[in-house]
Each structure stands twice: as C-alpha cells, then as structure tokens.
Amino acid sequence: MIDSPEALYRKLEAVKIGGTTCLYTLEKCQQLYPYIERIQQLKTQTNTIVLAHSYVSPELQLIADFTGDSFELSKWAKTTHADRIVFVAVRFMAETAKLLNPSKEVLVPSFQDGCTLADSITGPQVDALRKQYPHATFVCYINTSVAVKARCDVCVTSSNVMRIIEALPTTEIVFLPDRLMAQNIRVHCQQHGIQKQIHEWDGVCYVHDEYDPAMIDYIRQQYPNVQVAVHPECAPAVVALADFVGSTSQMMAFVAQTDAPYYFLLTECGLATRLQVAHPDKVFVGTCTMCRYMKSNRLADVERVMRQPTERDRVLLDPADIEPAQRCLDAMFTWASIPQKGGVI
Ligand code: CIZ
C-alpha cells in the first residue's frame, strides 16, 4: 500500500533507465500520489481489480492488484471475483480477459491501445490461409484480435510457445502473426531434433524488431560481464547472441536467480524499470525501447474509466467470435500443462 508521496518516491527513486526518460523525483511523486490515493479508494468502493502488464510505467504497476505477462494476467482475469477489471496494457489483452470471464465488465483506459502484431492480420486473412493450408494446425500468438483467435486452433504466449508447439501432434503448423517468433521456433525445433514445418505471417512487434546484433556486441564491449536476456519476438540473429532467451516472466526469474552486476534486457524497457525497483543493487544497461501503446496508459485515465466509463472504454466482443475464441484459449491452458522436452526457447 502506497500511503504518501514519500512512500511512492522511496519505491521509484532507483528507476533511472534511459537517463532521464524514466526519472522519478520527489516532485513527480507528489504530482502522481493524489491519483494513486483516489484510485486505491475507487477500487475498494467499486469492487474493481486493476491488472497491469510489465511493460507499463511503474506508477501503474504500483496501483495494480497484479502485474505480469499476458499468460499470468489471463489466469487472474479468469478467476477473479471482482465485478470489474481495469486492464492497463493493450486492447487484445483486455479482450482476452473478457473472453475468459465474460460476465465481468472489462475496461481499457488507454486511447492508443493497438499493437503492431495484433493489427497485422484480420479474421478474413486467416480464412484465406485456412484454404491455402487445409491440413495445418493454426497456432496464434496471444497478440491477436478475437476474430483471429476465433479462427485458430490454439493460442500461445511467449512463456508457453515452445511447450505447446512441441506438444502438438501435427507437424505442419501455421504460426500467426509474428514472423520473427516463427523463425525462432524453427531454429529451436532444428536444434532439438523436433520435426515441424512452420509457415509464417509477416507481422512483427516494432519494439523487438528494432534490436540488432551490433547492439549486443557494443554492450558486451562496454560491460564485459553483462548478462544479455533476449525476448523471442527479436530476430534469430539477435537471439543467437543471448545468454538467456525467454518471455518477460522468464527474464524476471533469470535476473532474480543470476548473480551478475549488469543486465541488458532486449525487450520493452518497462521490464527493466520493474526489475530495477525489485533489484536496486543490479544495474540495467543498454537501450530504453518503449512501446508507444503500452506507454500511452496514464493514471488519470485509469481514474477516469473507473468513475465514468464510456462505450469506447468498455470491451465488447462480436458474439459470433466468442465461443470459437474461447476454445482456442482453452486449448492453450490444456496444452501448456504438458511437460516440455526442449527447454525454454
Ligand atoms: O506475453 C506477453 O505478455 C508479452 C506480449 C510478452 C512477454 O514476454 O511477456
């Protein structure tokens, strides 16, 4: 519980990722605190929970009942007894919460809630691919719309993608929509002797697509004992240079379990800020790459949607897509519980 601007400052003063981009002064904490105080009261008065992704700004993570990756957040959304969920992330994640717990009101505070991956493919485009690859299993990354999930067989997140691909009995797979993740899956399968034919789509996360191998070489020269953790949405040439490859939750566990002074995390810098708060003794170096969609979430809008939600703030789903998209998500929970052969990606 944050009960004063000073308490907020004590939590956030270690955050100085990317120079002054994420600098939290006592003055800034004094400006933020009144929102935090009102949001905390509103949560209790209206039986609302706030779920926040690890990529959003740290003050939003502090007001959240739970912060995590999309798989962890979807498990919370599925089981919550609260009346309302405020989803501080991007719209496809809030839609997933609504699919998993349709009786809840799910609210999205951000006005810029897209995602370059989710926006790269539509339902009718999946229908066309189904005709092209009639025998393939269709696997979609969680970063997709409900219409796309409704047309796929199983959904995956970055924390369970390899486990599920390995467990699926079919060899021919259409993986949508992340081209770079599809290429990483192909490399992983080759390295572990797993026979799969992976067809890819041309979507990318614009944040992870920006990383290139030269950045890792440069950081390794500056900090010879740095640990480099890479997200599987990055290009295979970048993944090949990593000390560790995994989802944001897996990167968090890696940092917690590793005894090294410096870390270079090739993912949205909200994760580095989160880890800097958790591990003030460790130093997070390198780029501060921000997702414009995740970073468009603000405390003021969380308060606004809790007081007076408009139609735009509410997640509403096309009734025709609900049942098939729920089946695709249920398949993820089933396949994700099967033990993995090849280790994390
Ligand atoms: O699954 C997620 O939440 C995303 C988009 C990234 C990650 O690795 O957590």
Side-chain angles (χ1 to χ4, degrees):
M1 180 76 158
I2 310 290
D3 57 6
S4 67
E6 290 74 20
L8 181 62
Y9 179 59
R10 278 197 297 279
K11 279 261 180 208
L12 298 183
E13 63 182 328
V15 176
K16 292 186 180 60
I17 313 291
T20 53
T21 322
C22 303
L23 189 67
Y24 284 82
T25 59
L26 179 57
E27 193 186 17
K28 181 167 173 177
C29 291
Q30 281 162 343
Q31 286 161 12
L32 295 175
Y33 179 69
Y35 291 103
I36 293 181
E37 193 176 29
R38 291 194 295 271
I39 290 167
Q40 285 176 159
Q41 282 165 3
L42 281 165
K43 285 203 305 184
T44 320
Q45 285 161 7
T46 59
N47 192 21
T48 299
I49 61 159
V50 177
L51 300 180
H53 195 272
S54 297
Y55 290 158
V56 302
S57 299
E59 65 273 20
L60 291 153
Q61 299 186 11
L62 288 176
I63 52 127
D65 297 271
F66 186 77
T67 300
D69 66 18
S70 54
F71 188 57
E72 293 166 327
L73 295 174
S74 59
K75 284 193 280 190
W76 275 79
K78 200 173 161 128
T79 52
T80 184
H81 295 298
D83 295 325
R84 292 197 307 185
I85 301 171
V86 175
F87 216 106
V88 187
V90 286
R91 187 161 285 256
F92 78 80
M93 292 189 189
E95 287 177 349
T96 307
K98 182 76 180 168
L99 279 171
L100 291 168
N101 210 336
S103 65
K104 307 294 173 193
E105 182 175 43
V106 180
L107 300 169
V108 177
S110 162
F111 285 109
Q112 230 201 327
D113 54 13
C115 160
T116 55
L117 279 168
D119 298 342
S120 73
I121 184 162
T122 63
Q125 285 172 315
V126 183
D127 291 336
L129 287 169
R130 281 271 186 198
K131 290 199 182 103
Q132 199 179 339
Y133 302 108
H135 305 297
T137 299
F138 275 61
V139 179
C140 62
Y141 192 29
I142 192 132
N143 297 40
T144 43
S145 65
V146 176
V148 168
K149 288 187 179 76
R151 289 162 169 85
C152 287
D153 301 303
V154 54
C155 181
V156 298
T157 71
S158 44
S159 60
N160 59 30
V161 52
M162 285 317 308
R163 181 183 300 277
I164 292 176
I165 296 278
E166 286 178 12
L168 289 174
T170 40
T171 44
E172 189 183 7
I173 289 169
V174 174
F175 184 82
L176 304 173
D178 190 333
R179 168 170 51 85
L180 299 176
M181 190 174 278
Q183 291 168 3
N184 286 319
I185 293 168
R186 218 176 272 133
V187 172
H188 175 91
C189 289
Q190 279 158 5
Q191 285 172 348
H192 292 87
I194 298 161
Q195 296 300 318
K196 298 282 175 190
Q197 185 189 9
I198 311 287
H199 302 291
E200 64 193 45
W201 182 255
D202 196 16
V204 288
C205 161
Y206 85 100
V207 171
H208 293 92
D209 189 33
E210 275 178 18
Y211 291 112
D212 80 59
M215 295 175 183
I216 299 183
D217 293 342
Y218 177 78
I219 290 290
R220 285 205 194 276
Q221 279 164 23
Q222 305 289 311
Y223 304 94
N225 48 6
V226 69
Q227 288 291 308
V228 177
V230 175
H231 195 277
E233 289 175 21
C234 295
V238 176
V239 167
L241 298 178
D243 297 305
F244 178 81
V245 185
S247 68
T248 54
S249 52
Q250 290 160 348
M251 281 190 199
M252 286 184 60
F254 169 75
V255 170
Q257 288 155 15
T258 305
D259 184 18
Y262 298 110
Y263 297 83
F264 181 25
L265 307 182
L266 284 84
T267 193
E268 210 278 347
C269 73
L271 187 72
T273 18
R274 183 171 180 200
L275 281 164
Q276 188 68 84
V277 172
H279 303 280
D281 52 319
K282 297 187 173 184
V283 182
F284 295 87
V285 298
T287 63
C288 182
T289 325
M290 293 194 183
C291 168
R292 62 176 173 270
Y293 304 108
M294 287 286 185
K295 289 297 194 277
S296 70
N297 285 286
R298 298 179 317 144
L299 285 173
D301 291 315
V302 173
E303 182 182 355
R304 178 185 60 74
V305 299
M306 287 176 91
R307 287 192 191 284
Q308 267 189 329
T310 64
E311 278 310 281
R312 201 228 166 262
D313 304 323
R314 289 196 178 90
V315 174
L316 300 170
L317 304 178
D318 181 340
D321 288 335
I322 294 177
E323 212 193 303
Q326 282 171 337
R327 262 201 307 262
C328 177
L329 285 171
D330 287 345
M332 170 175 79
F333 287 106
T334 306
W335 287 110
S337 60
I338 291 176
Q340 186 175 4
K341 282 178 253 155
V344 285
I345 206 168

